[in-house]
Amino acid sequence: MKLKKIVLTGAAGRLGSYLREPLSQMCEALVSTDITDDLGKLYANETYVQADLASYDAIFPVLEGAEMVVHFGAIVDEKPFEELLGPNFVGSYNIWEAGYQQGVRRIVYASSIHAVGMHKKADFIGIDAPHRPDTFYGLAKCFTEDLGSMYWDKRGLESVHLRILSAAQVNNARALGSWLSYDDLIQLVTRAVDTPSVGFSIIYGVSKNDRAPVDNAKASFLGYRPKDNAEQFAEAVLAETPAPDLTDPGEMLQGGPFAKVDLGQSGIAQMKIVNDKKTV
Amino acid sequence: MKLKKIVLTGAAGRLGSYLREPLSQMCEALVSTDITDDLGKLYANETYVQADLASYDAIFPVLEGAEMVVHFGAIVDEKPFEELLGPNFVGSYNIWEAGYQQGVRRIVYASSIHAVGMHKKADFIGIDAPHRPDTFYGLAKCFTEDLGSMYWDKRGLESVHLRILSAAQVNNARALGSWLSYDDLIQLVTRAVDTPSVGFSIIYGVSKNDRAPVDNAKASFLGYRPKDNAEQFAEAVLAETPAPDLTDPGEMLQGGPFAKVDLGQSGIAQMKIVNDKKTV
Amino acid sequence: MKLKKIVLTGAAGRLGSYLREPLSQMCEALVSTDITDDLGKLYANETYVQADLASYDAIFPVLEGAEMVVHFGAIVDEKPFEELLGPNFVGSYNIWEAGYQQGVRRIVYASSIHAVGMHKKADFIGIDAPHRPDTFYGLAKCFTEDLGSMYWDKRGLESVHLRILSAAQVNNARALGSWLSYDDLIQLVTRAVDTPSVGFSIIYGVSKNDRAPVDNAKASFLGYRPKDNAEQFAEAVLAETPAPDLTDPGEMLQGGPFAKVDLGQSGIAQMKIVNDKKTV
Amino acid sequence: MKLKKIVLTGAAGRLGSYLREPLSQMCEALVSTDITDDLGKLYANETYVQADLASYDAIFPVLEGAEMVVHFGAIVDEKPFEELLGPNFVGSYNIWEAGYQQGVRRIVYASSIHAVGMHKKADFIGIDAPHRPDTFYGLAKCFTEDLGSMYWDKRGLESVHLRILSAAQVNNARALGSWLSYDDLIQLVTRAVDTPSVGFSIIYGVSKNDRAPVDNAKASFLGYRPKDNAEQFAEAVLAETPAPDLTDPGEMLQGGPFAKVDLGQSGIAQMKIVNDKKTV
Amino acid sequence: MKLKKIVLTGAAGRLGSYLREPLSQMCEALVSTDITDDLGKLYANETYVQADLASYDAIFPVLEGAEMVVHFGAIVDEKPFEELLGPNFVGSYNIWEAGYQQGVRRIVYASSIHAVGMHKKADFIGIDAPHRPDTFYGLAKCFTEDLGSMYWDKRGLESVHLRILSAAQVNNARALGSWLSYDDLIQLVTRAVDTPSVGFSIIYGVSKNDRAPVDNAKASFLGYRPKDNAEQFAEAVLAETPAPDLTDPGEMLQGGPFAKVDLGQSGIAQMKIVNDKKTV
Amino acid sequence: MKLKKIVLTGAAGRLGSYLREPLSQMCEALVSTDITDDLGKLYANETYVQADLASYDAIFPVLEGAEMVVHFGAIVDEKPFEELLGPNFVGSYNIWEAGYQQGVRRIVYASSIHAVGMHKKADFIGIDAPHRPDTFYGLAKCFTEDLGSMYWDKRGLESVHLRILSAAQVNNARALGSWLSYDDLIQLVTRAVDTPSVGFSIIYGVSKNDRAPVDNAKASFLGYRPKDNAEQFAEAVLAETPAPDLTDPGEMLQGGPFAKVDLGQSGIAQMKIVNDKKTV
């Protein structure tokens, strides 16, 4: 059944932007929301509403009549806890509580590998690995997953938590394993929306990379079958990769640069520096 | 080595009919048996014997000289225990005991997902999931698997238990995960027959569906590698699928309609009704 | 709350006899039943009804108004399948189906180690070990456990399955591990009755023997804490025990003598012979 | 080595009150803190500081020079998320961040069964069971455990998370399993303090009850060996316990009354009502 | 980064010969070594050094300046312990100790299925299966894996242990599962060399055979994705395969012929005999 | 049955000395052996034979007619590999091979926690934890366990591997968990001898310490139930224990001082230094 209404948060963000078109095709009305003034040109059945995730009163009316919320809105960088508290923690609560009050059936959430970023890459963790956040950013993902578990157990509100590994270009050795292509991201979100029942589910957002360090077997019923493989970039990337420091958490752990960044310090910036050095 | 003699029970049934030709090619003599009078035209090396599974005296001579039995005969619907007791419970005993007495080497058995039908679909159960039958029909499958385990442990009689998920058309959302195509069924039975040693093995009978809810990893040595994928029907089927009732066991559990049918009440009829509504 | 009515089957059997008194104290009315004519002297609130477990019509009225059934009735020896089919298989069905129809809340069942008798002693199996029956006798226990699982999942009828290891004297080396004293048996049944909710549970019936080969950890919530320890008999028993044949299933497997007896051949007799040789 | 300074938060609370004396004996200076004006008579080496956990500026100076913080301060009841956000969420952050900035070595935290309250009692969960909070109160415990994991992984700040089951009187059937006596609470906190290294650890706070529904095996190295057993109250309590409603989450799940309370609604009150009815 | 120097031991052996060319392309200088006088024609950047693995003094200088050692040198057959002690046990020690003293970063080792050869084929063992060697040859592989684990844990010297199943022709039923094609061998070694960090890793060396009896899931991060499939030989091989003896360890266990050979007796010879009988 | 002959190796060692008397009571003839000239006064049925473990010819005749060997002989300290190769590696081979040739039924071996010393104490490892040796000394224990596994699988020679944690005085914090009292050592060896069948078994040698960091559950069938508890020394020991360095492997890992010693460097000496500082 085509859905009547989907709400997309974080619609102005890097990943959110890619989702507007495919989501607009899965429903009669797509309501996109973000904190920016304007989203530019809209799709035929798309509406834009500016709203601050940290404000329950702003979020509540946006969700009226929605069957699903695709919740990608958040500060997407490591920051001091105080800065993340509103959008990333309270924002998640607002989405779930307003969703429940408005009769939303399901929330599809952009979680992150950083919820489990302190596990070793070599451990090939599954979706049931215990939380081991690497940053306050990752801690907010842990919080939201637990929140989603509770709303399902107590109130029957479904959610799928997409633990995205990395969606940037493949220009460093870690990304050979962690890459999620935009096409695969779209398939992932599509499956999370079109699967008839999902309960409370967790799934890693990663392409079919030969070197993928995580195990989605236990999420098989969702039918996510990625198509892209970062191995196409391996030769070029590895040619530029020096012998690693084996005592560096950023090398050995799932979270990569976030696994070694100081708490509250931006990791995205650091990732960019690393990337600049290694651009293919 | 080409086998000298295979016995196929349930040869007149829906799945049995598909197996006659491929099995006839794997042996010098195929003996097909069922409870009906006549099987129609036979293959060159095929013989038909009418026999009631519930009668040891009827079954015993049919198995003389056989190396393998492909045991698909049974009432294939939920019924009161009293009705299933003869063909589905005692019938299995008769096959195994007569098989042992006649020197049969291996039995390939049509078990069913309904032996474990009360597990959640989202749990991605493996072949070692504990029995959780959803019907008396499923209970007979549990009984036969345990019987097969015992005859292997105590008497060295091998068996492969094919837990078939669903072999109908893909015309409802559950079947997107549970479908077993006829081609894959044939490959599955072929592997169960041609693998040199199998001991006591369990394997799920399901195609290579993106949304398959069960895990065959632990049966890998059998080499069953399905080719068909129900995802080709997903768009059409999902377009007709309404938002499910998340408290419905038929929606959430492996057994599907059998997971919610009353014990002793026909589930097949119910499956048909569901299917009629959703024919593609 | 004191129960209004408990039904005890197999009341004339060796273990059933020990249970009559403690059960009579847990309810207002105890109805004891067995296939013998007469039970001898009854307790104040005890009634005796002769009934054949294999007959649904005989069993149905006995369960009227009962809150719990303590089901110890069965042929307690290995026999040909045909002989066990009535009392041990159909008998269990009759108890569960009549129980459900009569509104019984819970069934406490004398299951047995022989449901998992082909596992190695050295494996320290838990209550979740897969079924590996060693005899038709054990197969009937598997059947009944699966039946109990289904009635709980589908109909909310609770059951506790007591996998008794051995309740004989401690006069052979196996019994140093497998012994269940009568006092501990009574505690075990008492816990199975007085625990407010049990769902579908399995627990090993074994005393607190130093050498107990099974693990009850996962049944801890039932609060069974045995007091007796067969180690008191160890010195005497081991002095008489020769070096074992390490290829003998009766020595190495959980089922002991049943693990090596031919299917359908009495194992109890064999156990007695073994015991006579080694009486302390 | 006797510690120089311990800080106890929640010192005016029910459990905190019991800890003041034993903690005062484990260090040269005990600083007790809570939100109330006054703590009454102090122990010889005890100081009282009024402070609001939700205020970093209030908490930071209290922790100066402390080696360990025993963090029992929080709202100890289910409340709307907004009310718990300050003391139970931000409060934990304040303790860990101020602790890190002040060089605190270890935090001993009063976590709760309600972090995993939606698991079944019959599942005998270990300390590695995934979070399944039953309330916002439990969600704050999940948040704090993940926070503690991160500060250990990233900054080497140790913590022990005591998942207390119930510390009230044993006057209902659930408490026969969940009871933590005051003596055992004191032993538990003592072990959490005196064990030389603990890293990031979780342990259930429960007495040696026969019917304890959780498994502390994986926390064995802490040496917590409870002495009290609620079984002494079993006969009296069970005599007053009616047959339970088996569809009631409060009966079947670890969280007890919290497992069925509406989110944001006080559960403690409900527990009291239940208790009043059943006082021994 | 192209490596400066790789040392290949066992360069004259069957597998080593196939590795010389690909390894020569991954580094500036390839030093090949073996116990034979001469290796024949060398690749442009290849040097040959004759050296006895059992001699530390011979091995030490060969490793000077090497970043990685690909260690395939050993007696590749079952022999009495005394004969294997030098090359297969002490030889491994020499490589690791000299490697550490010379600053080698990583050792890629030709381990073998025979380190775990007594596990059942039907068990689909993973890379974390406990050691169960089937021969002294396999025991040397266990020894070397443990040695590699220790040098990583204690000294940060990385190693990848390639548990090769069988690299012969596919001319018997076992090889349908165990075959490692030469192309896949080369990919396997390439991944073991080019993955930036590997720590201590184990991986099975087997092609993408439908009937592969081992599970490499936990080594996924290495990115080894074999391309060849022995199923192409299945029809021809199975046509020649008689019904197996199910009590034969060589049939049922991972180690195949080594699983049944007497300790210290050559197994390769036996494998050849078996193979001669069944050449396609 | 009283055994005819037991051989004890390492009879002059610290632990061996304690075993002479109890072993002499379990057999008709005890043959003690070690590398020293003389053992002093012998028990009535004890004979002493001087023999070098590294010499097969010396060991072979000692084992003639023995039913069991209690193998405690070895260099009990970390040393360079070359020094341990004879007594600790080849010595084990000699015992097993000579034992097999002489018809010995079982070997009881003094293995060590150092076979798994690089696991974390907080992980509460079971007997099935993978090998992670911390020293060459520990590597010899790994080698011998794998050797014992092979001789059982291939030749039916039983062995019990006692992974002793520490048998010194309890004068440091680690020993509060790792202590094995002499009485418990004797019970442990007694059970390893008197249990009728053991196959290949591993068990930790540790007393019933509250803080024991290892899990013997899977070895329960052996009936080892220690009586002593190092907690009696806790107060005195902890009073002298400073805050640990949490980055010190010697503090955090099972192997204690061996986990941080350099390979080939004596750890016993280091342990003594530590102990001297902390003598109670």
Side-chain angles (χ1 to χ4, degrees), chain C residues 182-204:
Chain C
Y182 291 116
D183 283 354
D184 285 335
L185 168 68
I186 288 168
Q187 188 204 141
L188 179 63
V189 172
T190 305
R191 282 298 87 74
V193 168
D194 77 15
T195 299
S197 58
V198 299
F200 166 74
S201 298
I202 291 172
I203 185 168
Y204 289 105

Side-chain angles (χ1 to χ4, degrees), chain B residues 150, chain C residues 78 84 112 114-116 133-143 258:
Chain B
M150 185 172 69
Chain C
E78 174 63 349
L84 298 177
S112 162
H114 299 297
V116 291
D134 52 24
T135 45
F136 290 121
Y137 176 78
L139 184 64
K141 302 305 188 188
C142 295
F143 166 83
F258 272 34

Side-chain angles (χ1 to χ4, degrees), chain A residues 1-2 67 105-106 152 156 158 187 191 194-199 201 217-225 227, chain B residues 121-126 173 176 209-213 215 229 231 234 238-244 246 251-252:
Chain A
M1 290 306 214
K2 205 166 200 176
E67 284 163 283
R105 178 149 63 89
R106 183 184 304 170
W152 166 245
E158 291 188 302
Q187 189 204 141
R191 280 301 85 76
D194 77 16
T195 299
S197 58
V198 300
S201 298
K218 287 283 179 191
S220 285
F221 81 101
L222 288 171
Y224 169 61
R225 295 293 174 266
K227 308 290 185 206
Chain B
K121 267 198 292 190
D123 278 352
F124 198 57
I125 52 171
L176 294 175
N209 308 319
D210 285 359
R211 304 175 197 239
D215 181 6
N229 188 337
E231 200 62 19
L238 293 175
E240 305 274 335
T241 305
L246 299 174
E251 174 64 31
M252 306 303 279

